mmCIF file with all atom_site columns, all heavy atoms in Angstrom:
data_model
loop_
_atom_site.group_PDB
_atom_site.id
_atom_site.type_symbol
_atom_site.label_atom_id
_atom_site.label_alt_id
_atom_site.label_comp_id
_atom_site.label_asym_id
_atom_site.label_entity_id
_atom_site.label_seq_id
_atom_site.pdbx_PDB_ins_code
_atom_site.Cartn_x
_atom_site.Cartn_y
_atom_site.Cartn_z
_atom_site.occupancy
_atom_site.B_iso_or_equiv
_atom_site.pdbx_formal_charge
_atom_site.auth_seq_id
_atom_site.auth_comp_id
_atom_site.auth_asym_id
_atom_site.auth_atom_id
_atom_site.pdbx_PDB_model_num
ATOM 1   N N   . ALA A 1 1  ? -105.828 32.342 -32.313 1.00 98.00 ? 22 ALA A N   1
ATOM 2   C CA  . ALA A 1 1  ? -107.274 32.243 -32.091 1.00 98.00 ? 22 ALA A CA  1
ATOM 3   C C   . ALA A 1 1  ? -107.807 30.889 -32.563 1.00 98.00 ? 22 ALA A C   1
ATOM 4   O O   . ALA A 1 1  ? -108.648 30.281 -31.890 1.00 98.00 ? 22 ALA A O   1
ATOM 5   C CB  . ALA A 1 1  ? -107.993 33.380 -32.812 1.00 98.00 ? 22 ALA A CB  1
ATOM 6   N N   . GLU A 1 2  ? -107.318 30.423 -33.688 1.00 97.00 ? 23 GLU A N   1
ATOM 7   C CA  . GLU A 1 2  ? -107.746 29.112 -34.189 1.00 97.00 ? 23 GLU A CA  1
ATOM 8   C C   . GLU A 1 2  ? -107.318 28.006 -33.223 1.00 97.00 ? 23 GLU A C   1
ATOM 9   O O   . GLU A 1 2  ? -108.054 27.034 -33.035 1.00 97.00 ? 23 GLU A O   1
ATOM 10  C CB  . GLU A 1 2  ? -107.178 28.867 -35.582 1.00 97.00 ? 23 GLU A CB  1
ATOM 11  C CG  . GLU A 1 2  ? -107.843 29.730 -36.641 1.00 97.00 ? 23 GLU A CG  1
ATOM 12  C CD  . GLU A 1 2  ? -107.117 29.725 -37.982 1.00 97.00 ? 23 GLU A CD  1
ATOM 13  O OE1 . GLU A 1 2  ? -105.965 29.228 -38.045 1.00 97.00 ? 23 GLU A OE1 1
ATOM 14  O OE2 . GLU A 1 2  ? -107.699 30.234 -38.949 1.00 97.00 ? 23 GLU A OE2 1
ATOM 15  N N   . GLY A 1 3  ? -106.147 28.157 -32.598 1.00 95.00 ? 24 GLY A N   1
ATOM 16  C CA  . GLY A 1 3  ? -105.694 27.194 -31.606 1.00 95.00 ? 24 GLY A CA  1
ATOM 17  C C   . GLY A 1 3  ? -106.618 27.143 -30.401 1.00 95.00 ? 24 GLY A C   1
ATOM 18  O O   . GLY A 1 3  ? -106.889 26.065 -29.859 1.00 95.00 ? 24 GLY A O   1
ATOM 19  N N   . ILE A 1 4  ? -107.119 28.290 -29.985 1.00 95.00 ? 25 ILE A N   1
ATOM 20  C CA  . ILE A 1 4  ? -108.064 28.337 -28.865 1.00 95.00 ? 25 ILE A CA  1
ATOM 21  C C   . ILE A 1 4  ? -109.388 27.693 -29.290 1.00 95.00 ? 25 ILE A C   1
ATOM 22  O O   . ILE A 1 4  ? -109.982 26.915 -28.543 1.00 95.00 ? 25 ILE A O   1
ATOM 23  C CB  . ILE A 1 4  ? -108.287 29.782 -28.384 1.00 95.00 ? 25 ILE A CB  1
ATOM 24  C CG1 . ILE A 1 4  ? -107.004 30.319 -27.752 1.00 95.00 ? 25 ILE A CG1 1
ATOM 25  C CG2 . ILE A 1 4  ? -109.450 29.857 -27.398 1.00 95.00 ? 25 ILE A CG2 1
ATOM 26  C CD1 . ILE A 1 4  ? -107.054 31.781 -27.407 1.00 95.00 ? 25 ILE A CD1 1
ATOM 27  N N   . GLN A 1 5  ? -109.811 27.991 -30.496 1.00 95.00 ? 26 GLN A N   1
ATOM 28  C CA  . GLN A 1 5  ? -111.066 27.430 -31.005 1.00 95.00 ? 26 GLN A CA  1
ATOM 29  C C   . GLN A 1 5  ? -111.018 25.904 -31.040 1.00 95.00 ? 26 GLN A C   1
ATOM 30  O O   . GLN A 1 5  ? -111.977 25.236 -30.663 1.00 95.00 ? 26 GLN A O   1
ATOM 31  C CB  . GLN A 1 5  ? -111.340 27.987 -32.411 1.00 95.00 ? 26 GLN A CB  1
ATOM 32  C CG  . GLN A 1 5  ? -112.702 27.678 -32.948 1.00 95.00 ? 26 GLN A CG  1
ATOM 33  C CD  . GLN A 1 5  ? -113.770 28.564 -32.335 1.00 95.00 ? 26 GLN A CD  1
ATOM 34  O OE1 . GLN A 1 5  ? -113.491 29.499 -31.590 1.00 95.00 ? 26 GLN A OE1 1
ATOM 35  N NE2 . GLN A 1 5  ? -115.003 28.272 -32.639 1.00 95.00 ? 26 GLN A NE2 1
ATOM 36  N N   . VAL A 1 6  ? -109.883 25.339 -31.450 1.00 94.00 ? 27 VAL A N   1
ATOM 37  C CA  . VAL A 1 6  ? -109.716 23.885 -31.542 1.00 94.00 ? 27 VAL A CA  1
ATOM 38  C C   . VAL A 1 6  ? -109.826 23.222 -30.168 1.00 94.00 ? 27 VAL A C   1
ATOM 39  O O   . VAL A 1 6  ? -110.281 22.086 -30.053 1.00 94.00 ? 27 VAL A O   1
ATOM 40  C CB  . VAL A 1 6  ? -108.358 23.540 -32.213 1.00 94.00 ? 27 VAL A CB  1
ATOM 41  C CG1 . VAL A 1 6  ? -107.999 22.083 -32.048 1.00 94.00 ? 27 VAL A CG1 1
ATOM 42  C CG2 . VAL A 1 6  ? -108.408 23.916 -33.679 1.00 94.00 ? 27 VAL A CG2 1
ATOM 43  N N   . LEU A 1 7  ? -109.428 23.940 -29.116 1.00 92.00 ? 28 LEU A N   1
ATOM 44  C CA  . LEU A 1 7  ? -109.517 23.377 -27.770 1.00 92.00 ? 28 LEU A CA  1
ATOM 45  C C   . LEU A 1 7  ? -110.961 23.052 -27.378 1.00 92.00 ? 28 LEU A C   1
ATOM 46  O O   . LEU A 1 7  ? -111.201 22.191 -26.547 1.00 92.00 ? 28 LEU A O   1
ATOM 47  C CB  . LEU A 1 7  ? -108.929 24.348 -26.737 1.00 92.00 ? 28 LEU A CB  1
ATOM 48  C CG  . LEU A 1 7  ? -107.427 24.552 -26.757 1.00 92.00 ? 28 LEU A CG  1
ATOM 49  C CD1 . LEU A 1 7  ? -107.030 25.637 -25.756 1.00 92.00 ? 28 LEU A CD1 1
ATOM 50  C CD2 . LEU A 1 7  ? -106.698 23.255 -26.480 1.00 92.00 ? 28 LEU A CD2 1
ATOM 51  N N   . ASP A 1 8  ? -111.922 23.772 -27.979 1.00 91.00 ? 29 ASP A N   1
ATOM 52  C CA  . ASP A 1 8  ? -113.334 23.574 -27.673 1.00 91.00 ? 29 ASP A CA  1
ATOM 53  C C   . ASP A 1 8  ? -113.549 23.558 -26.158 1.00 91.00 ? 29 ASP A C   1
ATOM 54  O O   . ASP A 1 8  ? -114.171 22.660 -25.609 1.00 91.00 ? 29 ASP A O   1
ATOM 55  C CB  . ASP A 1 8  ? -113.841 22.283 -28.316 1.00 91.00 ? 29 ASP A CB  1
ATOM 56  C CG  . ASP A 1 8  ? -115.358 22.227 -28.353 1.00 91.00 ? 29 ASP A CG  1
ATOM 57  O OD1 . ASP A 1 8  ? -115.995 23.301 -28.366 1.00 91.00 ? 29 ASP A OD1 1
ATOM 58  O OD2 . ASP A 1 8  ? -115.905 21.115 -28.329 1.00 91.00 ? 29 ASP A OD2 1
ATOM 59  N N   . SER A 1 9  ? -113.001 24.573 -25.515 1.00 90.00 ? 30 SER A N   1
ATOM 60  C CA  . SER A 1 9  ? -112.983 24.647 -24.059 1.00 90.00 ? 30 SER A CA  1
ATOM 61  C C   . SER A 1 9  ? -114.302 25.150 -23.484 1.00 90.00 ? 30 SER A C   1
ATOM 62  O O   . SER A 1 9  ? -114.887 26.099 -24.006 1.00 90.00 ? 30 SER A O   1
ATOM 63  C CB  . SER A 1 9  ? -111.864 25.597 -23.619 1.00 90.00 ? 30 SER A CB  1
ATOM 64  O OG  . SER A 1 9  ? -111.971 25.915 -22.254 1.00 90.00 ? 30 SER A OG  1
ATOM 65  N N   . PRO A 1 10 ? -114.739 24.548 -22.384 1.00 91.00 ? 31 PRO A N   1
ATOM 66  C CA  . PRO A 1 10 ? -115.898 25.104 -21.680 1.00 91.00 ? 31 PRO A CA  1
ATOM 67  C C   . PRO A 1 10 ? -115.502 26.336 -20.851 1.00 91.00 ? 31 PRO A C   1
ATOM 68  O O   . PRO A 1 10 ? -116.368 27.031 -20.332 1.00 91.00 ? 31 PRO A O   1
ATOM 69  C CB  . PRO A 1 10 ? -116.345 23.957 -20.766 1.00 91.00 ? 31 PRO A CB  1
ATOM 70  C CG  . PRO A 1 10 ? -115.107 23.159 -20.534 1.00 91.00 ? 31 PRO A CG  1
ATOM 71  C CD  . PRO A 1 10 ? -114.275 23.286 -21.781 1.00 91.00 ? 31 PRO A CD  1
ATOM 72  N N   . LEU A 1 11 ? -114.183 26.600 -20.736 1.00 91.00 ? 32 LEU A N   1
ATOM 73  C CA  . LEU A 1 11 ? -113.700 27.713 -19.909 1.00 91.00 ? 32 LEU A CA  1
ATOM 74  C C   . LEU A 1 11 ? -113.532 29.010 -20.692 1.00 91.00 ? 32 LEU A C   1
ATOM 75  O O   . LEU A 1 11 ? -113.736 30.088 -20.148 1.00 91.00 ? 32 LEU A O   1
ATOM 76  C CB  . LEU A 1 11 ? -112.362 27.337 -19.264 1.00 91.00 ? 32 LEU A CB  1
ATOM 77  C CG  . LEU A 1 11 ? -112.353 26.094 -18.390 1.00 91.00 ? 32 LEU A CG  1
ATOM 78  C CD1 . LEU A 1 11 ? -110.948 25.802 -17.901 1.00 91.00 ? 32 LEU A CD1 1
ATOM 79  C CD2 . LEU A 1 11 ? -113.307 26.262 -17.225 1.00 91.00 ? 32 LEU A CD2 1
ATOM 80  N N   . PHE A 1 12 ? -113.102 28.917 -21.961 1.00 91.00 ? 33 PHE A N   1
ATOM 81  C CA  . PHE A 1 12 ? -112.889 30.131 -22.751 1.00 91.00 ? 33 PHE A CA  1
ATOM 82  C C   . PHE A 1 12 ? -113.083 29.842 -24.225 1.00 91.00 ? 33 PHE A C   1
ATOM 83  O O   . PHE A 1 12 ? -112.979 28.708 -24.677 1.00 91.00 ? 33 PHE A O   1
ATOM 84  C CB  . PHE A 1 12 ? -111.522 30.762 -22.492 1.00 91.00 ? 33 PHE A CB  1
ATOM 85  C CG  . PHE A 1 12 ? -110.396 29.786 -22.294 1.00 91.00 ? 33 PHE A CG  1
ATOM 86  C CD1 . PHE A 1 12 ? -109.777 29.165 -23.361 1.00 91.00 ? 33 PHE A CD1 1
ATOM 87  C CD2 . PHE A 1 12 ? -109.948 29.485 -21.014 1.00 91.00 ? 33 PHE A CD2 1
ATOM 88  C CE1 . PHE A 1 12 ? -108.738 28.272 -23.161 1.00 91.00 ? 33 PHE A CE1 1
ATOM 89  C CE2 . PHE A 1 12 ? -108.917 28.602 -20.808 1.00 91.00 ? 33 PHE A CE2 1
ATOM 90  C CZ  . PHE A 1 12 ? -108.305 27.982 -21.905 1.00 91.00 ? 33 PHE A CZ  1
ATOM 91  N N   . SER A 1 13 ? -113.384 30.897 -24.977 1.00 94.00 ? 34 SER A N   1
ATOM 92  C CA  . SER A 1 13 ? -113.634 30.758 -26.408 1.00 94.00 ? 34 SER A CA  1
ATOM 93  C C   . SER A 1 13 ? -113.202 32.027 -27.137 1.00 94.00 ? 34 SER A C   1
ATOM 94  O O   . SER A 1 13 ? -112.912 33.047 -26.510 1.00 94.00 ? 34 SER A O   1
ATOM 95  C CB  . SER A 1 13 ? -115.119 30.501 -26.668 1.00 94.00 ? 34 SER A CB  1
ATOM 96  O OG  . SER A 1 13 ? -115.874 31.636 -26.292 1.00 94.00 ? 34 SER A OG  1
ATOM 97  N N   . VAL A 1 14 ? -113.201 31.921 -28.461 1.00 96.00 ? 35 VAL A N   1
ATOM 98  C CA  . VAL A 1 14 ? -112.863 33.058 -29.318 1.00 96.00 ? 35 VAL A CA  1
ATOM 99  C C   . VAL A 1 14 ? -113.884 33.123 -30.443 1.00 96.00 ? 35 VAL A C   1
ATOM 100 O O   . VAL A 1 14 ? -114.267 32.092 -31.007 1.00 96.00 ? 35 VAL A O   1
ATOM 101 C CB  . VAL A 1 14 ? -111.447 32.882 -29.916 1.00 96.00 ? 35 VAL A CB  1
ATOM 102 C CG1 . VAL A 1 14 ? -111.156 33.938 -30.951 1.00 96.00 ? 35 VAL A CG1 1
ATOM 103 C CG2 . VAL A 1 14 ? -110.394 32.916 -28.841 1.00 96.00 ? 35 VAL A CG2 1
ATOM 104 N N   . ASN A 1 15 ? -114.308 34.319 -30.774 1.00 96.00 ? 36 ASN A N   1
ATOM 105 C CA  . ASN A 1 15 ? -115.156 34.532 -31.939 1.00 96.00 ? 36 ASN A CA  1
ATOM 106 C C   . ASN A 1 15 ? -114.212 34.769 -33.125 1.00 96.00 ? 36 ASN A C   1
ATOM 107 O O   . ASN A 1 15 ? -113.688 35.870 -33.297 1.00 96.00 ? 36 ASN A O   1
ATOM 108 C CB  . ASN A 1 15 ? -116.077 35.729 -31.707 1.00 96.00 ? 36 ASN A CB  1
ATOM 109 C CG  . ASN A 1 15 ? -116.910 36.075 -32.920 1.00 96.00 ? 36 ASN A CG  1
ATOM 110 O OD1 . ASN A 1 15 ? -116.825 35.432 -33.970 1.00 96.00 ? 36 ASN A OD1 1
ATOM 111 N ND2 . ASN A 1 15 ? -117.729 37.099 -32.779 1.00 96.00 ? 36 ASN A ND2 1
ATOM 112 N N   . LEU A 1 16 ? -113.985 33.742 -33.930 1.00 97.00 ? 37 LEU A N   1
ATOM 113 C CA  . LEU A 1 16 ? -113.034 33.859 -35.040 1.00 97.00 ? 37 LEU A CA  1
ATOM 114 C C   . LEU A 1 16 ? -113.419 34.950 -36.034 1.00 97.00 ? 37 LEU A C   1
ATOM 115 O O   . LEU A 1 16 ? -112.541 35.574 -36.629 1.00 97.00 ? 37 LEU A O   1
ATOM 116 C CB  . LEU A 1 16 ? -112.885 32.520 -35.770 1.00 97.00 ? 37 LEU A CB  1
ATOM 117 C CG  . LEU A 1 16 ? -112.056 31.463 -35.060 1.00 97.00 ? 37 LEU A CG  1
ATOM 118 C CD1 . LEU A 1 16 ? -112.019 30.180 -35.874 1.00 97.00 ? 37 LEU A CD1 1
ATOM 119 C CD2 . LEU A 1 16 ? -110.645 31.955 -34.791 1.00 97.00 ? 37 LEU A CD2 1
ATOM 120 N N   . ALA A 1 17 ? -114.696 35.190 -36.211 1.00 96.00 ? 38 ALA A N   1
ATOM 121 C CA  . ALA A 1 17 ? -115.139 36.230 -37.146 1.00 96.00 ? 38 ALA A CA  1
ATOM 122 C C   . ALA A 1 17 ? -114.680 37.620 -36.694 1.00 96.00 ? 38 ALA A C   1
ATOM 123 O O   . ALA A 1 17 ? -114.536 38.518 -37.521 1.00 96.00 ? 38 ALA A O   1
ATOM 124 C CB  . ALA A 1 17 ? -116.658 36.196 -37.293 1.00 96.00 ? 38 ALA A CB  1
ATOM 125 N N   . ALA A 1 18 ? -114.429 37.785 -35.406 1.00 96.00 ? 39 ALA A N   1
ATOM 126 C CA  . ALA A 1 18 ? -114.004 39.082 -34.871 1.00 96.00 ? 39 ALA A CA  1
ATOM 127 C C   . ALA A 1 18 ? -112.485 39.276 -34.922 1.00 96.00 ? 39 ALA A C   1
ATOM 128 O O   . ALA A 1 18 ? -111.999 40.365 -34.626 1.00 96.00 ? 39 ALA A O   1
ATOM 129 C CB  . ALA A 1 18 ? -114.486 39.238 -33.435 1.00 96.00 ? 39 ALA A CB  1
ATOM 130 N N   . VAL A 1 19 ? -111.746 38.252 -35.303 1.00 97.00 ? 40 VAL A N   1
ATOM 131 C CA  . VAL A 1 19 ? -110.277 38.360 -35.375 1.00 97.00 ? 40 VAL A CA  1
ATOM 132 C C   . VAL A 1 19 ? -109.919 38.836 -36.783 1.00 97.00 ? 40 VAL A C   1
ATOM 133 O O   . VAL A 1 19 ? -109.734 38.046 -37.702 1.00 97.00 ? 40 VAL A O   1
ATOM 134 C CB  . VAL A 1 19 ? -109.586 37.021 -35.040 1.00 97.00 ? 40 VAL A CB  1
ATOM 135 C CG1 . VAL A 1 19 ? -108.071 37.182 -35.090 1.00 97.00 ? 40 VAL A CG1 1
ATOM 136 C CG2 . VAL A 1 19 ? -110.023 36.520 -33.668 1.00 97.00 ? 40 VAL A CG2 1
ATOM 137 N N   . GLU A 1 20 ? -109.833 40.151 -36.922 1.00 96.00 ? 41 GLU A N   1
ATOM 138 C CA  . GLU A 1 20 ? -109.568 40.748 -38.228 1.00 96.00 ? 41 GLU A CA  1
ATOM 139 C C   . GLU A 1 20 ? -108.169 41.348 -38.326 1.00 96.00 ? 41 GLU A C   1
ATOM 140 O O   . GLU A 1 20 ? -107.662 41.542 -39.425 1.00 96.00 ? 41 GLU A O   1
ATOM 141 C CB  . GLU A 1 20 ? -110.592 41.839 -38.517 1.00 96.00 ? 41 GLU A CB  1
ATOM 142 C CG  . GLU A 1 20 ? -112.016 41.321 -38.574 1.00 96.00 ? 41 GLU A CG  1
ATOM 143 C CD  . GLU A 1 20 ? -113.004 42.436 -38.810 1.00 96.00 ? 41 GLU A CD  1
ATOM 144 O OE1 . GLU A 1 20 ? -113.375 43.122 -37.838 1.00 96.00 ? 41 GLU A OE1 1
ATOM 145 O OE2 . GLU A 1 20 ? -113.385 42.616 -39.981 1.00 96.00 ? 41 GLU A OE2 1
ATOM 146 N N   . THR A 1 21 ? -107.575 41.669 -37.187 1.00 97.00 ? 42 THR A N   1
ATOM 147 C CA  . THR A 1 21 ? -106.262 42.310 -37.199 1.00 97.00 ? 42 THR A CA  1
ATOM 148 C C   . THR A 1 21 ? -105.342 41.564 -36.241 1.00 97.00 ? 42 THR A C   1
ATOM 149 O O   . THR A 1 21 ? -105.344 40.347 -36.206 1.00 97.00 ? 42 THR A O   1
ATOM 150 C CB  . THR A 1 21 ? -106.370 43.800 -36.807 1.00 97.00 ? 42 THR A CB  1
ATOM 151 O OG1 . THR A 1 21 ? -106.874 43.905 -35.475 1.00 97.00 ? 42 THR A OG1 1
ATOM 152 C CG2 . THR A 1 21 ? -107.254 44.577 -37.766 1.00 97.00 ? 42 THR A CG2 1
ATOM 153 N N   . ASN A 1 22 ? -104.569 42.302 -35.467 1.00 97.00 ? 43 ASN A N   1
ATOM 154 C CA  . ASN A 1 22 ? -103.588 41.726 -34.547 1.00 97.00 ? 43 ASN A CA  1
ATOM 155 C C   . ASN A 1 22 ? -104.125 41.572 -33.130 1.00 97.00 ? 43 ASN A C   1
ATOM 156 O O   . ASN A 1 22 ? -103.364 41.327 -32.206 1.00 97.00 ? 43 ASN A O   1
ATOM 157 C CB  . ASN A 1 22 ? -102.334 42.606 -34.524 1.00 97.00 ? 43 ASN A CB  1
ATOM 158 C CG  . ASN A 1 22 ? -102.611 44.002 -34.009 1.00 97.00 ? 43 ASN A CG  1
ATOM 159 O OD1 . ASN A 1 22 ? -103.668 44.579 -34.255 1.00 97.00 ? 43 ASN A OD1 1
ATOM 160 N ND2 . ASN A 1 22 ? -101.664 44.558 -33.303 1.00 97.00 ? 43 ASN A ND2 1
ATOM 161 N N   . ILE A 1 23 ? -105.429 41.696 -32.952 1.00 97.00 ? 44 ILE A N   1
ATOM 162 C CA  . ILE A 1 23 ? -106.039 41.634 -31.619 1.00 97.00 ? 44 ILE A CA  1
ATOM 163 C C   . ILE A 1 23 ? -106.965 40.423 -31.533 1.00 97.00 ? 44 ILE A C   1
ATOM 164 O O   . ILE A 1 23 ? -107.791 40.202 -32.420 1.00 97.00 ? 44 ILE A O   1
ATOM 165 C CB  . ILE A 1 23 ? -106.828 42.922 -31.306 1.00 97.00 ? 44 ILE A CB  1
ATOM 166 C CG1 . ILE A 1 23 ? -105.887 44.129 -31.326 1.00 97.00 ? 44 ILE A CG1 1
ATOM 167 C CG2 . ILE A 1 23 ? -107.549 42.807 -29.967 1.00 97.00 ? 44 ILE A CG2 1
ATOM 168 C CD1 . ILE A 1 23 ? -106.581 45.471 -31.208 1.00 97.00 ? 44 ILE A CD1 1
ATOM 169 N N   . VAL A 1 24 ? -106.802 39.665 -30.447 1.00 98.00 ? 45 VAL A N   1
ATOM 170 C CA  . VAL A 1 24 ? -107.676 38.521 -30.171 1.00 98.00 ? 45 VAL A CA  1
ATOM 171 C C   . VAL A 1 24 ? -108.325 38.762 -28.813 1.00 98.00 ? 45 VAL A C   1
ATOM 172 O O   . VAL A 1 24 ? -107.633 38.960 -27.817 1.00 98.00 ? 45 VAL A O   1
ATOM 173 C CB  . VAL A 1 24 ? -106.888 37.189 -30.143 1.00 98.00 ? 45 VAL A CB  1
ATOM 174 C CG1 . VAL A 1 24 ? -107.794 36.027 -29.752 1.00 98.00 ? 45 VAL A CG1 1
ATOM 175 C CG2 . VAL A 1 24 ? -106.213 36.929 -31.487 1.00 98.00 ? 45 VAL A CG2 1
ATOM 176 N N   . MET A 1 25 ? -109.644 38.732 -28.796 1.00 98.00 ? 46 MET A N   1
ATOM 177 C CA  . MET A 1 25 ? -110.395 38.858 -27.557 1.00 98.00 ? 46 MET A CA  1
ATOM 178 C C   . MET A 1 25 ? -110.851 37.457 -27.160 1.00 98.00 ? 46 MET A C   1
ATOM 179 O O   . MET A 1 25 ? -111.551 36.785 -27.923 1.00 98.00 ? 46 MET A O   1
ATOM 180 C CB  . MET A 1 25 ? -111.593 39.785 -27.736 1.00 98.00 ? 46 MET A CB  1
ATOM 181 C CG  . MET A 1 25 ? -111.214 41.197 -28.202 1.00 98.00 ? 46 MET A CG  1
ATOM 182 S SD  . MET A 1 25 ? -110.063 42.060 -27.119 1.00 98.00 ? 46 MET A SD  1
ATOM 183 C CE  . MET A 1 25 ? -111.158 42.616 -25.844 1.00 98.00 ? 46 MET A CE  1
ATOM 184 N N   . ILE A 1 26 ? -110.427 37.019 -25.974 1.00 97.00 ? 47 ILE A N   1
ATOM 185 C CA  . ILE A 1 26 ? -110.766 35.693 -25.462 1.00 97.00 ? 47 ILE A CA  1
ATOM 186 C C   . ILE A 1 26 ? -111.909 35.845 -24.475 1.00 97.00 ? 47 ILE A C   1
ATOM 187 O O   . ILE A 1 26 ? -111.793 36.584 -23.496 1.00 97.00 ? 47 ILE A O   1
ATOM 188 C CB  . ILE A 1 26 ? -109.537 35.047 -24.788 1.00 97.00 ? 47 ILE A CB  1
ATOM 189 C CG1 . ILE A 1 26 ? -108.375 34.967 -25.779 1.00 97.00 ? 47 ILE A CG1 1
ATOM 190 C CG2 . ILE A 1 26 ? -109.894 33.676 -24.227 1.00 97.00 ? 47 ILE A CG2 1
ATOM 191 C CD1 . ILE A 1 26 ? -107.038 34.670 -25.131 1.00 97.00 ? 47 ILE A CD1 1
ATOM 192 N N   . ASN A 1 27 ? -113.001 35.154 -24.745 1.00 96.00 ? 48 ASN A N   1
ATOM 193 C CA  . ASN A 1 27 ? -114.171 35.195 -23.862 1.00 96.00 ? 48 ASN A CA  1
ATOM 194 C C   . ASN A 1 27 ? -113.995 34.149 -22.779 1.00 96.00 ? 48 ASN A C   1
ATOM 195 O O   . ASN A 1 27 ? -113.795 32.973 -23.073 1.00 96.00 ? 48 ASN A O   1
ATOM 196 C CB  . ASN A 1 27 ? -115.442 34.913 -24.663 1.00 96.00 ? 48 ASN A CB  1
ATOM 197 C CG  . ASN A 1 27 ? -115.599 35.877 -25.810 1.00 96.00 ? 48 ASN A CG  1
ATOM 198 O OD1 . ASN A 1 27 ? -115.530 37.078 -25.618 1.00 96.00 ? 48 ASN A OD1 1
ATOM 199 N ND2 . ASN A 1 27 ? -115.778 35.351 -27.005 1.00 96.00 ? 48 ASN A ND2 1
#
């Protein structure tokens, strides 16, 4: 998730605060 966040993509993002377990939801 942090890797996706670093991309700072206009196409997709991640809410890092919501990554609490083994699941990552990509917006």
Side-chain angles (χ1 to χ4, degrees):
E23 288 168 348
I25 293 173
Q26 190 77 7
V27 167
L28 290 175
D29 196 26
S30 168
L32 302 176
F33 38 80
S34 66
V35 172
N36 175 0
L37 284 179
V40 181
E41 298 178 278
T42 62
N43 63 324
I44 299 173
V45 176
M46 302 303 280
I47 303 166
N48 304 308

